[in-house]
Every structure is written in C-alpha cells, then in structure tokens.
Amino acid sequence: MARGDTGLTRHRARHHGQAYAGAMASESPEDAILRAVRAIAHGQVLAYGEVARRAGLPRRARLVARILATTDAEVPWHRVIRSDGCIAFPADSDGFREQCRRLQAEGVTIERGRVRPPPRPRKSLDEQVWGPGPL
C-alpha cells in the first residue's frame, strides 16, 4: 500500500471507473479499454468482461459497453460480444447486421446470433507444445 493510502483511495477509484495505480494512473480507463479492444486479433472475439479484465478493470463489463457505444475512436468494436457468445444488439437491428457482416468478413461463424467457436485442434498436448515428433 502506498504511504498514506487507507484503501479509501482505491475504493473511490474503482467506484468512479478508474484503474488504481498508486499515486498516479498512467492511462485513463477509456484508453485502457480501447487499447484492449485494439489488441483483439483479426477473426477473434472477446466478451465485454474479458476486455475489462485485460484493461485492468475487472468486473467493469458495462463500462466497456458504454465506452464502445460512445467513442468516436477507430476500434474493432465488432470483436466484442456478450459472455454467452451472443451479439449484444437486438436481432433485427442495423447494429446486429453490421456486427455479423464484419465478423463474417473476418471468418467468424455466426449461427442464430451466436458466435460459433472455432474447431479445436486435433493434436495431442505434446504436439501442441513441442511440435511434431521426430521424422
């Protein structure tokens, strides 16, 4: 704990959606979330809660949704989905259709509004870690 820190500072920082980093925060919560979203690889998706965790803001999934809904920054917002694998927009909305279109263009399979996980590799754990055996 930092000198003079009673824990109240951390509570207030969390309550106001700010990452606690001692005396000075190097990055705003919005910047941290946008950085985490930009880091999602092409053809991959993450849940709002996982984005929050990677941004250093665990349990702030709603903050992620609010920031993505209001930002003007160029980010791959379409790669963020609900924790159950579904697209968060209503099924008949323009947002739903646009997110599906963007994800499908990246090779993501969507069935009935839910992202279908990619097939698992059929390699053994040893092959995955160490590569193919000797020839």
Side-chain angles (χ1 to χ4, degrees), residues 89-132:
F89 290 103
D92 59 345
S93 70
D94 290 337
F96 179 89
R97 286 187 286 277
E98 179 64 17
Q99 189 169 10
C100 286
R101 186 190 65 72
R102 288 178 181 221
L103 288 172
Q104 289 168 339
E106 292 185 4
V108 176
T109 303
I110 301 169
E111 293 177 358
R112 293 187 303 273
R114 185 181 301 257
V115 172
R116 188 169 145 220
R120 293 183 174 246
R122 295 181 187 251
K123 296 179 182 178
S124 70
L125 180 59
D126 283 340
E127 288 175 313
Q128 291 180 43
V129 173
W130 303 107

Side-chain angles (χ1 to χ4, degrees), residues 36-37 39-40 44-51 54 79-82:
V37 172
I40 303 170
Q44 300 293 313
V45 295
L46 285 180
Y48 290 97
E50 180 61 18
V51 170
R54 290 184 182 192
R79 297 178 186 156
V80 183
I81 60 174
R82 293 184 350 196

Side-chain angles (χ1 to χ4, degrees), residues 8 14 16 18 27 34 39 53 59 66 69 105 108 130 132:
L8 187 56
R14 281 193 304 269
H16 293 290
Q18 300 169 352
E27 184 174 48
L34 296 178
R53 189 187 68 73
R59 302 179 55 162
R66 186 169 56 238
V108 176
W130 303 107

Side-chain angles (χ1 to χ4, degrees), residues 41-93:
H42 179 90
Q44 300 293 313
V45 295
L46 285 180
Y48 290 97
E50 180 61 18
V51 170
R53 189 187 68 73
R54 290 184 182 192
L57 300 162
R59 302 179 55 162
R60 299 304 307 254
R62 289 182 181 181
L63 179 62
V64 172
R66 186 169 56 238
I67 286 172
L68 289 178
T70 59
T71 188
D72 291 332
E74 288 292 322
V75 293
W77 59 268
H78 59 282
R79 297 178 186 156
V80 183
I81 60 174
R82 293 184 350 196
S83 62
D84 63 359
C86 290
I87 291 175
F89 290 103
D92 59 345
S93 70

